[in-house]
Amino acid sequence: MTGYQSGLLVILCFNVIAAYAVYLPMAAGQLNLGVAGFMATGAYAAAYLTNEAGWPMGTAIPAGGACAGLLALLVAVPILRTQGISLALATFALGQVIAAIFLNLDVVGGAAGYPVSAYAGPGAVFAATAAILAAMLLLSRTRFALYLTAIKSDPVVTDLMGVNVRAVQVGALTLGAVIGGLGGGLYGHHFSFVEAQHFNVALSIFTVLYVLLGGVQTVWGPLVGAAFFTLLPEVLRAGGGWRYVLFALLIIGFMALRPQGLVTAGARWPARLRHRAPERPAAETRLSTEVSGS
């Protein structure tokens, strides 16, 4: 594997991790535009623990994720009192506040950034991404994932069925923040540097776009969306200066054809059709039998 290919896969891994950080709350109908803030929290916390406290990288990065999750848990209750576009604005503001705090925090370098002493190689990034993907697959088979879908479809009916809607929403936002914090910590240790300017609003918006394009209905949607945004511009590199025009046109085309996302529950349609296909001959057989019997 060349350095270019390895670097591209590393970027894809970071985008996939960020996409799953957004996916969990979005699966419950919450638009989180503050994921960059949670990633920054994890990145700075893990880097500080590695540099100043001497923690090993394997412990500092999960601790950074836990810090991001704790922050999300603290702000979840007041933020989740809002819904829809108000929730998006609230999480957007939260992300900006977090970035501004780190930008002015001299203990972690402030605007100059914060070097990280430990280094996480591409193998560690690949392994962490695979572990997060496996965890998401396992989570998608639990009742928690079913609750998320039910809340997104109709929170009132879900509440009437005895599900604690607010607790599930808080859990989704917190778990998403933990994943984002893990991604941020891993990012800082891979590039050996953390700066608040990287965790800006553009990162949050692009991450949301990964999930929207890939689809929210299945756990594979964020993976496909992140791969689309990461790999397709490289595939279109032969187009020179026109590649981003082609890329934008492809996005418009895909969203026009599949507004629900590239990967949806509709992927089961062919299987259903295959099951339905034999029904017609069977009906025709019964009809011919009745006709012959009469």
Side-chain angles (χ1 to χ4, degrees), residues 190-228:
H190 177 74
F191 291 103
S192 301
F193 194 78
V194 181
E195 59 178 348
Q197 293 89 337
H198 171 73
F199 302 100
N200 54 26
V201 64
L203 176 62
S204 294
I205 293 175
F206 270 102
T207 306
V208 169
L209 293 179
Y210 302 158
V211 182
L212 289 176
L213 183 70
V216 188
Q217 296 182 14
T218 74
V219 74
W220 297 105
L223 176 65
V224 173
F228 184 95

PDB file of all heavy atoms in Angstrom, residues 190-228:
ATOM      1  N   HIS A 190      -2.778  10.740  15.761  1.00  0.00           N
ATOM      2  CA  HIS A 190      -2.254  10.330  14.454  1.00  0.00           C
ATOM      3  C   HIS A 190      -1.468  11.467  13.800  1.00  0.00           C
ATOM      4  O   HIS A 190      -0.376  11.236  13.254  1.00  0.00           O
ATOM      5  CB  HIS A 190      -3.395   9.893  13.526  1.00  0.00           C
ATOM      6  CG  HIS A 190      -2.918   9.526  12.152  1.00  0.00           C
ATOM      7  ND1 HIS A 190      -2.238   8.353  11.884  1.00  0.00           N
ATOM      8  CD2 HIS A 190      -2.989  10.186  10.966  1.00  0.00           C
ATOM      9  CE1 HIS A 190      -1.920   8.298  10.601  1.00  0.00           C
ATOM     10  NE2 HIS A 190      -2.365   9.399  10.023  1.00  0.00           N
ATOM     11  N   PHE A 191      -2.016  12.673  13.855  1.00  0.00           N
ATOM     12  CA  PHE A 191      -1.344  13.810  13.225  1.00  0.00           C
ATOM     13  C   PHE A 191      -0.407  14.532  14.194  1.00  0.00           C
ATOM     14  O   PHE A 191       0.224  15.526  13.817  1.00  0.00           O
ATOM     15  CB  PHE A 191      -2.382  14.781  12.667  1.00  0.00           C
ATOM     16  CG  PHE A 191      -3.135  14.233  11.485  1.00  0.00           C
ATOM     17  CD1 PHE A 191      -4.428  13.766  11.641  1.00  0.00           C
ATOM     18  CD2 PHE A 191      -2.544  14.144  10.236  1.00  0.00           C
ATOM     19  CE1 PHE A 191      -5.134  13.241  10.552  1.00  0.00           C
ATOM     20  CE2 PHE A 191      -3.239  13.620   9.151  1.00  0.00           C
ATOM     21  CZ  PHE A 191      -4.529  13.160   9.309  1.00  0.00           C
ATOM     22  N   SER A 192      -0.342  14.029  15.435  1.00  0.00           N
ATOM     23  CA  SER A 192       0.583  14.563  16.449  1.00  0.00           C
ATOM     24  C   SER A 192       0.383  16.063  16.689  1.00  0.00           C
ATOM     25  O   SER A 192       1.335  16.773  17.060  1.00  0.00           O
ATOM     26  CB  SER A 192       2.048  14.298  16.043  1.00  0.00           C
ATOM     27  OG  SER A 192       2.278  12.922  15.898  1.00  0.00           O
ATOM     28  N   PHE A 193      -0.827  16.533  16.460  1.00  0.00           N
ATOM     29  CA  PHE A 193      -1.092  17.961  16.656  1.00  0.00           C
ATOM     30  C   PHE A 193      -2.607  18.169  16.743  1.00  0.00           C
ATOM     31  O   PHE A 193      -3.368  17.525  16.023  1.00  0.00           O
ATOM     32  CB  PHE A 193      -0.530  18.774  15.487  1.00  0.00           C
ATOM     33  CG  PHE A 193      -0.446  20.243  15.749  1.00  0.00           C
ATOM     34  CD1 PHE A 193       0.575  20.766  16.534  1.00  0.00           C
ATOM     35  CD2 PHE A 193      -1.377  21.126  15.224  1.00  0.00           C
ATOM     36  CE1 PHE A 193       0.661  22.129  16.777  1.00  0.00           C
ATOM     37  CE2 PHE A 193      -1.307  22.477  15.459  1.00  0.00           C
ATOM     38  CZ  PHE A 193      -0.277  22.982  16.239  1.00  0.00           C
ATOM     39  N   VAL A 194      -2.989  19.065  17.625  1.00  0.00           N
ATOM     40  CA  VAL A 194      -4.409  19.413  17.775  1.00  0.00           C
ATOM     41  C   VAL A 194      -4.540  20.929  17.696  1.00  0.00           C
ATOM     42  O   VAL A 194      -3.787  21.654  18.370  1.00  0.00           O
ATOM     43  CB  VAL A 194      -4.978  18.936  19.131  1.00  0.00           C
ATOM     44  CG1 VAL A 194      -6.451  19.293  19.236  1.00  0.00           C
ATOM     45  CG2 VAL A 194      -4.790  17.438  19.299  1.00  0.00           C
ATOM     46  N   GLU A 195      -5.451  21.386  16.877  1.00  0.00           N
ATOM     47  CA  GLU A 195      -5.736  22.819  16.826  1.00  0.00           C
ATOM     48  C   GLU A 195      -7.243  23.020  16.727  1.00  0.00           C
ATOM     49  O   GLU A 195      -7.949  22.276  16.020  1.00  0.00           O
ATOM     50  CB  GLU A 195      -5.034  23.498  15.659  1.00  0.00           C
ATOM     51  CG  GLU A 195      -5.373  22.961  14.292  1.00  0.00           C
ATOM     52  CD  GLU A 195      -4.663  23.714  13.182  1.00  0.00           C
ATOM     53  OE1 GLU A 195      -4.093  24.794  13.469  1.00  0.00           O
ATOM     54  OE2 GLU A 195      -4.694  23.236  12.041  1.00  0.00           O
ATOM     55  N   ALA A 196      -7.711  24.021  17.448  1.00  0.00           N
ATOM     56  CA  ALA A 196      -9.162  24.244  17.533  1.00  0.00           C
ATOM     57  C   ALA A 196      -9.759  24.624  16.188  1.00  0.00           C
ATOM     58  O   ALA A 196     -10.934  24.349  15.927  1.00  0.00           O
ATOM     59  CB  ALA A 196      -9.441  25.342  18.558  1.00  0.00           C
ATOM     60  N   GLN A 197      -8.933  25.247  15.322  1.00  0.00           N
ATOM     61  CA  GLN A 197      -9.468  25.683  14.032  1.00  0.00           C
ATOM     62  C   GLN A 197      -9.938  24.511  13.179  1.00  0.00           C
ATOM     63  O   GLN A 197     -10.795  24.694  12.305  1.00  0.00           O
ATOM     64  CB  GLN A 197      -8.408  26.480  13.263  1.00  0.00           C
ATOM     65  CG  GLN A 197      -8.046  27.817  13.900  1.00  0.00           C
ATOM     66  CD  GLN A 197      -6.921  27.693  14.912  1.00  0.00           C
ATOM     67  OE1 GLN A 197      -6.684  26.613  15.448  1.00  0.00           O
ATOM     68  NE2 GLN A 197      -6.225  28.791  15.167  1.00  0.00           N
ATOM     69  N   HIS A 198      -9.359  23.326  13.402  1.00  0.00           N
ATOM     70  CA  HIS A 198      -9.784  22.165  12.597  1.00  0.00           C
ATOM     71  C   HIS A 198     -11.220  21.755  12.935  1.00  0.00           C
ATOM     72  O   HIS A 198     -11.975  21.323  12.052  1.00  0.00           O
ATOM     73  CB  HIS A 198      -8.845  20.987  12.852  1.00  0.00           C
ATOM     74  CG  HIS A 198      -9.330  19.713  12.233  1.00  0.00           C
ATOM     75  ND1 HIS A 198      -9.292  19.467  10.873  1.00  0.00           N
ATOM     76  CD2 HIS A 198      -9.893  18.601  12.783  1.00  0.00           C
ATOM     77  CE1 HIS A 198      -9.795  18.281  10.606  1.00  0.00           C
ATOM     78  NE2 HIS A 198     -10.173  17.730  11.749  1.00  0.00           N
ATOM     79  N   PHE A 199     -11.589  21.897  14.196  1.00  0.00           N
ATOM     80  CA  PHE A 199     -12.905  21.438  14.644  1.00  0.00           C
ATOM     81  C   PHE A 199     -13.919  22.585  14.497  1.00  0.00           C
ATOM     82  O   PHE A 199     -14.473  23.091  15.478  1.00  0.00           O
ATOM     83  CB  PHE A 199     -12.823  20.946  16.087  1.00  0.00           C
ATOM     84  CG  PHE A 199     -11.820  19.837  16.258  1.00  0.00           C
ATOM     85  CD1 PHE A 199     -10.550  20.108  16.767  1.00  0.00           C
ATOM     86  CD2 PHE A 199     -12.122  18.542  15.891  1.00  0.00           C
ATOM     87  CE1 PHE A 199      -9.617  19.096  16.911  1.00  0.00           C
ATOM     88  CE2 PHE A 199     -11.193  17.525  16.032  1.00  0.00           C
ATOM     89  CZ  PHE A 199      -9.937  17.801  16.537  1.00  0.00           C
ATOM     90  N   ASN A 200     -14.120  22.987  13.286  1.00  0.00           N
ATOM     91  CA  ASN A 200     -14.994  24.132  13.019  1.00  0.00           C
ATOM     92  C   ASN A 200     -16.360  23.659  12.537  1.00  0.00           C
ATOM     93  O   ASN A 200     -16.647  22.461  12.435  1.00  0.00           O
ATOM     94  CB  ASN A 200     -14.339  25.065  11.983  1.00  0.00           C
ATOM     95  CG  ASN A 200     -13.955  24.301  10.727  1.00  0.00           C
ATOM     96  OD1 ASN A 200     -14.558  23.273  10.416  1.00  0.00           O
ATOM     97  ND2 ASN A 200     -12.953  24.771  10.014  1.00  0.00           N
ATOM     98  N   VAL A 201     -17.201  24.631  12.207  1.00  0.00           N
ATOM     99  CA  VAL A 201     -18.575  24.306  11.810  1.00  0.00           C
ATOM    100  C   VAL A 201     -18.613  23.542  10.487  1.00  0.00           C
ATOM    101  O   VAL A 201     -19.514  22.716  10.268  1.00  0.00           O
ATOM    102  CB  VAL A 201     -19.414  25.597  11.728  1.00  0.00           C
ATOM    103  CG1 VAL A 201     -18.895  26.515  10.638  1.00  0.00           C
ATOM    104  CG2 VAL A 201     -20.868  25.280  11.501  1.00  0.00           C
ATOM    105  N   ALA A 202     -17.627  23.781   9.618  1.00  0.00           N
ATOM    106  CA  ALA A 202     -17.615  23.059   8.340  1.00  0.00           C
ATOM    107  C   ALA A 202     -17.478  21.553   8.571  1.00  0.00           C
ATOM    108  O   ALA A 202     -18.099  20.749   7.858  1.00  0.00           O
ATOM    109  CB  ALA A 202     -16.472  23.572   7.466  1.00  0.00           C
ATOM    110  N   LEU A 203     -16.687  21.167   9.578  1.00  0.00           N
ATOM    111  CA  LEU A 203     -16.533  19.744   9.892  1.00  0.00           C
ATOM    112  C   LEU A 203     -17.875  19.153  10.318  1.00  0.00           C
ATOM    113  O   LEU A 203     -18.245  18.043   9.886  1.00  0.00           O
ATOM    114  CB  LEU A 203     -15.489  19.565  10.998  1.00  0.00           C
ATOM    115  CG  LEU A 203     -15.284  18.142  11.504  1.00  0.00           C
ATOM    116  CD1 LEU A 203     -14.794  17.231  10.386  1.00  0.00           C
ATOM    117  CD2 LEU A 203     -14.279  18.122  12.667  1.00  0.00           C
ATOM    118  N   SER A 204     -18.606  19.880  11.154  1.00  0.00           N
ATOM    119  CA  SER A 204     -19.912  19.379  11.606  1.00  0.00           C
ATOM    120  C   SER A 204     -20.888  19.257  10.435  1.00  0.00           C
ATOM    121  O   SER A 204     -21.613  18.258  10.311  1.00  0.00           O
ATOM    122  CB  SER A 204     -20.499  20.317  12.665  1.00  0.00           C
ATOM    123  OG  SER A 204     -19.719  20.300  13.836  1.00  0.00           O
ATOM    124  N   ILE A 205     -20.904  20.265   9.574  1.00  0.00           N
ATOM    125  CA  ILE A 205     -21.851  20.243   8.450  1.00  0.00           C
ATOM    126  C   ILE A 205     -21.520  19.117   7.478  1.00  0.00           C
ATOM    127  O   ILE A 205     -22.408  18.374   7.028  1.00  0.00           O
ATOM    128  CB  ILE A 205     -21.852  21.610   7.741  1.00  0.00           C
ATOM    129  CG1 ILE A 205     -22.445  22.681   8.666  1.00  0.00           C
ATOM    130  CG2 ILE A 205     -22.633  21.547   6.437  1.00  0.00           C
ATOM    131  CD1 ILE A 205     -22.387  24.081   8.111  1.00  0.00           C
ATOM    132  N   PHE A 206     -20.233  18.956   7.151  1.00  0.00           N
ATOM    133  CA  PHE A 206     -19.869  17.878   6.237  1.00  0.00           C
ATOM    134  C   PHE A 206     -20.203  16.510   6.834  1.00  0.00           C
ATOM    135  O   PHE A 206     -20.638  15.606   6.119  1.00  0.00           O
ATOM    136  CB  PHE A 206     -18.372  17.950   5.904  1.00  0.00           C
ATOM    137  CG  PHE A 206     -18.077  18.787   4.697  1.00  0.00           C
ATOM    138  CD1 PHE A 206     -17.587  20.072   4.826  1.00  0.00           C
ATOM    139  CD2 PHE A 206     -18.303  18.299   3.422  1.00  0.00           C
ATOM    140  CE1 PHE A 206     -17.326  20.864   3.717  1.00  0.00           C
ATOM    141  CE2 PHE A 206     -18.050  19.073   2.302  1.00  0.00           C
ATOM    142  CZ  PHE A 206     -17.560  20.368   2.445  1.00  0.00           C
ATOM    143  N   THR A 207     -20.010  16.376   8.132  1.00  0.00           N
ATOM    144  CA  THR A 207     -20.313  15.095   8.770  1.00  0.00           C
ATOM    145  C   THR A 207     -21.800  14.775   8.690  1.00  0.00           C
ATOM    146  O   THR A 207     -22.188  13.628   8.447  1.00  0.00           O
ATOM    147  CB  THR A 207     -19.850  15.126  10.238  1.00  0.00           C
ATOM    148  OG1 THR A 207     -18.483  15.503  10.293  1.00  0.00           O
ATOM    149  CG2 THR A 207     -20.006  13.763  10.870  1.00  0.00           C
ATOM    150  N   VAL A 208     -22.617  15.796   8.892  1.00  0.00           N
ATOM    151  CA  VAL A 208     -24.068  15.601   8.750  1.00  0.00           C
ATOM    152  C   VAL A 208     -24.408  15.191   7.315  1.00  0.00           C
ATOM    153  O   VAL A 208     -25.262  14.319   7.076  1.00  0.00           O
ATOM    154  CB  VAL A 208     -24.823  16.877   9.160  1.00  0.00           C
ATOM    155  CG1 VAL A 208     -26.294  16.794   8.767  1.00  0.00           C
ATOM    156  CG2 VAL A 208     -24.702  17.111  10.659  1.00  0.00           C
ATOM    157  N   LEU A 209     -23.716  15.802   6.351  1.00  0.00           N
ATOM    158  CA  LEU A 209     -23.974  15.460   4.956  1.00  0.00           C
ATOM    159  C   LEU A 209     -23.609  14.009   4.651  1.00  0.00           C
ATOM    160  O   LEU A 209     -24.271  13.349   3.840  1.00  0.00           O
ATOM    161  CB  LEU A 209     -23.203  16.407   4.031  1.00  0.00           C
ATOM    162  CG  LEU A 209     -23.644  17.865   4.033  1.00  0.00           C
ATOM    163  CD1 LEU A 209     -22.778  18.693   3.104  1.00  0.00           C
ATOM    164  CD2 LEU A 209     -25.104  17.989   3.628  1.00  0.00           C
ATOM    165  N   TYR A 210     -22.543  13.497   5.287  1.00  0.00           N
ATOM    166  CA  TYR A 210     -22.197  12.083   5.098  1.00  0.00           C
ATOM    167  C   TYR A 210     -23.400  11.199   5.420  1.00  0.00           C
ATOM    168  O   TYR A 210     -23.742  10.268   4.682  1.00  0.00           O
ATOM    169  CB  TYR A 210     -21.031  11.655   6.005  1.00  0.00           C
ATOM    170  CG  TYR A 210     -19.743  12.410   5.849  1.00  0.00           C
ATOM    171  CD1 TYR A 210     -18.802  12.430   6.876  1.00  0.00           C
ATOM    172  CD2 TYR A 210     -19.453  13.107   4.684  1.00  0.00           C
ATOM    173  CE1 TYR A 210     -17.616  13.111   6.741  1.00  0.00           C
ATOM    174  CE2 TYR A 210     -18.261  13.803   4.547  1.00  0.00           C
ATOM    175  CZ  TYR A 210     -17.345  13.803   5.589  1.00  0.00           C
ATOM    176  OH  TYR A 210     -16.176  14.482   5.460  1.00  0.00           O
ATOM    177  N   VAL A 211     -24.006  11.502   6.570  1.00  0.00           N
ATOM    178  CA  VAL A 211     -25.108  10.659   7.050  1.00  0.00           C
ATOM    179  C   VAL A 211     -26.350  10.843   6.189  1.00  0.00           C
ATOM    180  O   VAL A 211     -27.043   9.875   5.844  1.00  0.00           O
ATOM    181  CB  VAL A 211     -25.408  10.972   8.531  1.00  0.00           C
ATOM    182  CG1 VAL A 211     -26.505  10.064   9.053  1.00  0.00           C
ATOM    183  CG2 VAL A 211     -24.144  10.804   9.373  1.00  0.00           C
ATOM    184  N   LEU A 212     -26.634  12.091   5.824  1.00  0.00           N
ATOM    185  CA  LEU A 212     -27.829  12.347   5.006  1.00  0.00           C
ATOM    186  C   LEU A 212     -27.711  11.670   3.649  1.00  0.00           C
ATOM    187  O   LEU A 212     -28.679  11.099   3.137  1.00  0.00           O
ATOM    188  CB  LEU A 212     -28.033  13.849   4.825  1.00  0.00           C
ATOM    189  CG  LEU A 212     -28.479  14.630   6.067  1.00  0.00           C
ATOM    190  CD1 LEU A 212     -28.542  16.116   5.764  1.00  0.00           C
ATOM    191  CD2 LEU A 212     -29.835  14.129   6.553  1.00  0.00           C
ATOM    192  N   LEU A 213     -26.534  11.743   3.043  1.00  0.00           N
ATOM    193  CA  LEU A 213     -26.361  11.130   1.726  1.00  0.00           C
ATOM    194  C   LEU A 213     -26.364   9.609   1.830  1.00  0.00           C
ATOM    195  O   LEU A 213     -26.976   8.917   1.015  1.00  0.00           O
ATOM    196  CB  LEU A 213     -25.057  11.597   1.082  1.00  0.00           C
ATOM    197  CG  LEU A 213     -24.815  11.077  -0.330  1.00  0.00           C
ATOM    198  CD1 LEU A 213     -25.795  11.727  -1.310  1.00  0.00           C
ATOM    199  CD2 LEU A 213     -23.388  11.354  -0.796  1.00  0.00           C
ATOM    200  N   GLY A 214     -25.682   9.082   2.835  1.00  0.00           N
ATOM    201  CA  GLY A 214     -25.635   7.628   2.986  1.00  0.00           C
ATOM    202  C   GLY A 214     -26.964   7.037   3.408  1.00  0.00           C
ATOM    203  O   GLY A 214     -27.317   5.935   2.998  1.00  0.00           O
ATOM    204  N   GLY A 215     -27.705   7.774   4.236  1.00  0.00           N
ATOM    205  CA  GLY A 215     -28.994   7.269   4.711  1.00  0.00           C
ATOM    206  C   GLY A 215     -28.978   7.002   6.192  1.00  0.00           C
ATOM    207  O   GLY A 215     -27.967   6.552   6.744  1.00  0.00           O
ATOM    208  N   VAL A 216     -30.109   7.276   6.832  1.00  0.00           N
ATOM    209  CA  VAL A 216     -30.230   7.117   8.285  1.00  0.00           C
ATOM    210  C   VAL A 216     -30.957   5.828   8.636  1.00  0.00           C
ATOM    211  O   VAL A 216     -30.963   5.395   9.780  1.00  0.00           O
ATOM    212  CB  VAL A 216     -30.972   8.335   8.884  1.00  0.00           C
ATOM    213  CG1 VAL A 216     -30.941   8.310  10.402  1.00  0.00           C
ATOM    214  CG2 VAL A 216     -30.366   9.629   8.389  1.00  0.00           C
ATOM    215  N   GLN A 217     -31.559   5.179   7.649  1.00  0.00           N
ATOM    216  CA  GLN A 217     -32.414   4.031   7.953  1.00  0.00           C
ATOM    217  C   GLN A 217     -31.631   2.777   8.343  1.00  0.00           C
ATOM    218  O   GLN A 217     -32.177   1.897   8.998  1.00  0.00           O
ATOM    219  CB  GLN A 217     -33.305   3.733   6.748  1.00  0.00           C
ATOM    220  CG  GLN A 217     -34.274   4.853   6.427  1.00  0.00           C
ATOM    221  CD  GLN A 217     -35.181   4.512   5.265  1.00  0.00           C
ATOM    222  OE1 GLN A 217     -35.270   3.363   4.851  1.00  0.00           O
ATOM    223  NE2 GLN A 217     -35.846   5.508   4.723  1.00  0.00           N
ATOM    224  N   THR A 218     -30.384   2.664   7.904  1.00  0.00           N
ATOM    225  CA  THR A 218     -29.589   1.496   8.267  1.00  0.00           C
ATOM    226  C   THR A 218     -28.240   1.950   8.808  1.00  0.00           C
ATOM    227  O   THR A 218     -27.805   3.082   8.573  1.00  0.00           O
ATOM    228  CB  THR A 218     -29.340   0.564   7.069  1.00  0.00           C
ATOM    229  OG1 THR A 218     -28.363   1.167   6.209  1.00  0.00           O
ATOM    230  CG2 THR A 218     -30.615   0.323   6.284  1.00  0.00           C
ATOM    231  N   VAL A 219     -27.577   1.041   9.491  1.00  0.00           N
ATOM    232  CA  VAL A 219     -26.284   1.356  10.098  1.00  0.00           C
ATOM    233  C   VAL A 219     -25.183   1.484   9.047  1.00  0.00           C
ATOM    234  O   VAL A 219     -24.109   2.011   9.314  1.00  0.00           O
ATOM    235  CB  VAL A 219     -25.938   0.284  11.145  1.00  0.00           C
ATOM    236  CG1 VAL A 219     -25.529  -1.014  10.465  1.00  0.00           C
ATOM    237  CG2 VAL A 219     -24.843   0.765  12.094  1.00  0.00           C
ATOM    238  N   TRP A 220     -25.449   1.009   7.826  1.00  0.00           N
ATOM    239  CA  TRP A 220     -24.450   1.091   6.761  1.00  0.00           C
ATOM    240  C   TRP A 220     -24.459   2.450   6.078  1.00  0.00           C
ATOM    241  O   TRP A 220     -23.512   2.789   5.346  1.00  0.00           O
ATOM    242  CB  TRP A 220     -24.688   0.002   5.715  1.00  0.00           C
ATOM    243  CG  TRP A 220     -24.549  -1.376   6.256  1.00  0.00           C
ATOM    244  CD1 TRP A 220     -25.559  -2.259   6.542  1.00  0.00           C
ATOM    245  CD2 TRP A 220     -23.338  -2.050   6.590  1.00  0.00           C
ATOM    246  NE1 TRP A 220     -25.039  -3.425   7.041  1.00  0.00           N
ATOM    247  CE2 TRP A 220     -23.685  -3.322   7.075  1.00  0.00           C
ATOM    248  CE3 TRP A 220     -21.991  -1.688   6.528  1.00  0.00           C
ATOM    249  CZ2 TRP A 220     -22.725  -4.245   7.498  1.00  0.00           C
ATOM    250  CZ3 TRP A 220     -21.037  -2.599   6.956  1.00  0.00           C
ATOM    251  CH2 TRP A 220     -21.400  -3.850   7.434  1.00  0.00           C
ATOM    252  N   GLY A 221     -25.502   3.236   6.266  1.00  0.00           N
ATOM    253  CA  GLY A 221     -25.612   4.518   5.601  1.00  0.00           C
ATOM    254  C   GLY A 221     -24.442   5.463   5.869  1.00  0.00           C
ATOM    255  O   GLY A 221     -23.850   6.003   4.925  1.00  0.00           O
ATOM    256  N   PRO A 222     -24.070   5.701   7.143  1.00  0.00           N
ATOM    257  CA  PRO A 222     -22.937   6.607   7.398  1.00  0.00           C
ATOM    258  C   PRO A 222     -21.640   6.129   6.762  1.00  0.00           C
ATOM    259  O   PRO A 222     -20.843   6.946   6.282  1.00  0.00           O
ATOM    260  CB  PRO A 222     -22.841   6.597   8.933  1.00  0.00           C
ATOM    261  CG  PRO A 222     -24.202   6.242   9.400  1.00  0.00           C
ATOM    262  CD  PRO A 222     -24.745   5.283   8.390  1.00  0.00           C
ATOM    263  N   LEU A 223     -21.428   4.815   6.753  1.00  0.00           N
ATOM    264  CA  LEU A 223     -20.207   4.277   6.141  1.00  0.00           C
ATOM    265  C   LEU A 223     -20.176   4.583   4.645  1.00  0.00           C
ATOM    266  O   LEU A 223     -19.157   5.063   4.110  1.00  0.00           O
ATOM    267  CB  LEU A 223     -20.134   2.768   6.379  1.00  0.00           C
ATOM    268  CG  LEU A 223     -18.970   2.036   5.716  1.00  0.00           C
ATOM    269  CD1 LEU A 223     -17.643   2.491   6.299  1.00  0.00           C
ATOM    270  CD2 LEU A 223     -19.121   0.524   5.883  1.00  0.00           C
ATOM    271  N   VAL A 224     -21.291   4.353   3.974  1.00  0.00           N
ATOM    272  CA  VAL A 224     -21.360   4.607   2.531  1.00  0.00           C
ATOM    273  C   VAL A 224     -21.257   6.099   2.237  1.00  0.00           C
ATOM    274  O   VAL A 224     -20.555   6.526   1.304  1.00  0.00           O
ATOM    275  CB  VAL A 224     -22.667   4.021   1.951  1.00  0.00           C
ATOM    276  CG1 VAL A 224     -22.842   4.409   0.494  1.00  0.00           C
ATOM    277  CG2 VAL A 224     -22.669   2.506   2.098  1.00  0.00           C
ATOM    278  N   GLY A 225     -21.936   6.919   3.038  1.00  0.00           N
ATOM    279  CA  GLY A 225     -21.879   8.362   2.822  1.00  0.00           C
ATOM    280  C   GLY A 225     -20.471   8.917   3.012  1.00  0.00           C
ATOM    281  O   GLY A 225     -20.003   9.737   2.216  1.00  0.00           O
ATOM    282  N   ALA A 226     -19.784   8.468   4.060  1.00  0.00           N
ATOM    283  CA  ALA A 226     -18.407   8.934   4.289  1.00  0.00           C
ATOM    284  C   ALA A 226     -17.485   8.465   3.169  1.00  0.00           C
ATOM    285  O   ALA A 226     -16.611   9.219   2.718  1.00  0.00           O
ATOM    286  CB  ALA A 226     -17.911   8.420   5.641  1.00  0.00           C
ATOM    287  N   ALA A 227     -17.685   7.240   2.707  1.00  0.00           N
ATOM    288  CA  ALA A 227     -16.863   6.735   1.601  1.00  0.00           C
ATOM    289  C   ALA A 227     -17.126   7.532   0.328  1.00  0.00           C
ATOM    290  O   ALA A 227     -16.199   7.837  -0.435  1.00  0.00           O
ATOM    291  CB  ALA A 227     -17.149   5.248   1.380  1.00  0.00           C
ATOM    292  N   PHE A 228     -18.374   7.876   0.099  1.00  0.00           N
ATOM    293  CA  PHE A 228     -18.737   8.670  -1.093  1.00  0.00           C
ATOM    294  C   PHE A 228     -18.021  10.015  -1.069  1.00  0.00           C
ATOM    295  O   PHE A 228     -17.394  10.417  -2.060  1.00  0.00           O
ATOM    296  CB  PHE A 228     -20.256   8.868  -1.113  1.00  0.00           C
ATOM    297  CG  PHE A 228     -20.765   9.590  -2.327  1.00  0.00           C
ATOM    298  CD1 PHE A 228     -21.221   8.881  -3.432  1.00  0.00           C
ATOM    299  CD2 PHE A 228     -20.803  10.979  -2.368  1.00  0.00           C
ATOM    300  CE1 PHE A 228     -21.705   9.549  -4.553  1.00  0.00           C
ATOM    301  CE2 PHE A 228     -21.276  11.644  -3.482  1.00  0.00           C
ATOM    302  CZ  PHE A 228     -21.728  10.929  -4.584  1.00  0.00           C
TER     303      PHE A 228
END
